[in-house]
Amino acid sequence: MASSPARPNSPGSHLLPSPVQELMYGHLHASALRAAVVHGIPDLLADGPRTVEELAERSGTRTGPLHRVLRLLAARGLFQEKNGTFALADAGRSLCTDAPGSQRAAVLLFTDEMFHRAATNIPGTLRTAEPGFEAAHGRPFFAYLAATPDKHRLFDAAMTSRAGAADEDIAASYPFPSSGTVVDVGGGQGGLLRAVLTRFPELRGTLYDRPGTVAGHLLDTEELRGRWSVQGGDFFTSVPGGGDLYLLKNVLHDWSDEDCLRILGTVREAVRPGTRLLVVEAVLPDDGTPHPALELDIVMLMLLEGRERTAAEFDSLLGRSGFRLDRVLPAPAASSLIEAEAV
């Protein structure tokens, strides 16, 4: 099949694909990335370069197809090819299982067939405004996870791995109180709470999320002994009371405005006036400026009824729920720290 003409970059340079080609072939790059991770190629290269023949033998793959996939991924900056061998590029090191902030689980999650099937329904979503995931799988996203334990475990692992480095940075960049209790609502397996409690040794913390999620929490360390508790429950119904600071990290973007008002309302019922709430979310510019969270906004479109929001939209949600937005601070990666106070 003939490809469309590539546009020249400059005399003597490689030909670069057009923006249309970049998007049109995007699923091929994702599938090649998944194949390399599934077969453990990054882990095989963690200690240094190897020939394609050696990689194929150790991974149980065929030399020719493997070379072609790695060649494509090398062109995307994940591997380096030289003298018949492949090595990890700096950008590819996060694909290793034991790498700090490993993205291996995230790659396996976001290239999984459950997401591919949901994405193919985006044309229908434009007509109906219904999430493509439910149309593809016959049930809402979180209900699907609850019914498929292997996917649920992958989801939890991916969320934890993606958050690792950012959690440390958030703990270092926000003036958390030196004492009292932090309640992390919808806090997953507790990565952010662990980072905060580690950095502030006089603080105590409560992790609150679905029972199946908090069962795999990360708080049971010697350094945090006696300073944490874990509760399973539904934040649409109730959240633990008595906290001095409440966290909502990457929770609100999963939900519609109506559901966000329910979540924030439940938090407001549990807290005293003056209690601080820290919402960690991407904040989109309101002038159309490109932002790293635009892709995540489309993920929300195809999976759930949530969305990424602007500062004005967060201000509206918080104000309607009994909170006052005080300030928005920059945070690591694509997130911001939205500080509010119960009124």
Side-chain angles (χ1 to χ4, degrees):
M1 181 174 64
S3 61
S4 58
R7 55 184 172 84
N9 182 27
S10 60
S13 70
H14 295 292
L15 297 179
L16 299 177
S18 70
V20 171
Q21 281 183 290
E22 286 275 343
L23 295 170
M24 178 172 69
Y25 292 139
H27 66 288
L28 300 180
H29 296 109
S31 296
L33 174 60
R34 179 179 181 84
V37 170
V38 164
H39 288 290
I41 302 303
D43 287 331
L44 291 174
L45 293 174
D47 295 329
R50 296 185 187 273
T51 65
V52 178
E53 291 77 13
E54 186 177 6
L55 289 171
E57 180 180 359
R58 288 174 176 259
S59 63
T61 59
R62 302 294 293 271
T63 302
L66 179 61
H67 180 265
R68 292 160 70 178
V69 165
L70 294 182
R71 182 173 59 188
L72 174 65
L73 296 176
R76 305 297 297 185
L78 298 180
F79 300 97
Q80 295 173 337
E81 183 179 12
K82 184 177 181 181
N83 298 328
T85 67
F86 280 92
L88 281 174
D90 288 343
R93 295 193 178 279
S94 66
L95 300 174
C96 295
T97 304
D98 296 329
S102 172
Q103 297 299 292
R104 182 180 185 277
V107 167
L108 293 177
L109 176 70
F110 286 106
T111 61
D112 190 89
E113 56 83 22
M114 64 173 172
F115 282 0
H116 282 308
R117 290 177 58 191
T120 61
N121 281 302
I122 289 178
T125 298
L126 297 184
R127 293 191 301 270
T128 66
E130 298 295 327
F133 189 95
E134 191 166 349
H137 297 282
R139 64 182 76 188
F141 177 61
F142 287 119
Y144 176 88
L145 290 183
T148 52
D150 58 330
K151 305 291 188 184
H152 197 170
R153 286 190 294 270
L154 177 60
F155 175 80
D156 286 341
M159 295 303 100
T160 298
S161 69
R162 281 173 59 83
D167 287 341
E168 299 290 340
D169 290 339
I170 291 168
S173 61
Y174 181 75
F176 286 91
S178 58
S179 61
T181 299
V182 175
V183 180
D184 194 353
V185 177
Q189 295 180 313
L192 176 56
L193 186 58
R194 180 179 64 177
V196 171
L197 296 183
T198 299
R199 190 170 186 86
F200 297 89
E202 301 301 318
L203 271 179
R204 301 179 61 86
T206 297
L207 176 65
Y208 185 75
D209 209 317
R210 294 166 294 174
T213 296
V214 298
H217 71 84
L218 306 171
L219 300 175
D220 193 10
T221 67
E222 183 63 32
E223 189 173 9
L224 303 185
R225 182 183 296 275
R227 296 169 49 212
W228 56 268
S229 64
V230 170
Q231 294 187 38
D234 180 358
F235 51 42
F236 285 111
T237 303
S238 65
V239 302
D244 299 289
L245 172 67
Y246 282 71
L247 299 176
L248 280 171
K249 181 191 173 196
N250 293 341
V251 171
L252 299 182
H253 73 164
D254 286 343
W255 304 98
S256 67
D257 285 357
E258 292 74 17
D259 284 335
C260 286
L261 292 173
R262 291 174 59 200
I263 296 167
L264 290 168
T266 303
V267 175
R268 181 61 188 88
E269 290 177 3
V271 305
R272 305 177 298 274
T275 302
R276 279 192 293 168
L277 170 66
L278 186 65
V279 177
V280 184
E281 295 268 358
V283 175
L284 295 180
D286 57 11
D287 60 0
T289 302
H291 189 279
L294 292 176
E295 288 87 355
L296 189 58
D297 187 49
I298 301 303
V299 172
M300 296 300 107
L301 180 70
M302 75 181 194
L303 292 188
L304 303 159
E305 295 183 353
R307 59 185 303 166
E308 306 305 316
R309 294 178 171 90
T310 65
E313 290 169 329
F314 280 114
D315 189 20
S316 175
L317 289 176
L318 290 164
R320 293 162 65 189
S321 305
F323 291 93
R324 181 186 65 246
L325 191 156
D326 288 337
R327 56 178 176 167
V328 178
L329 303 170
S335 295
S336 293
L337 305 178
I338 305 161
E339 186 182 63
E341 181 177 330
V343 296

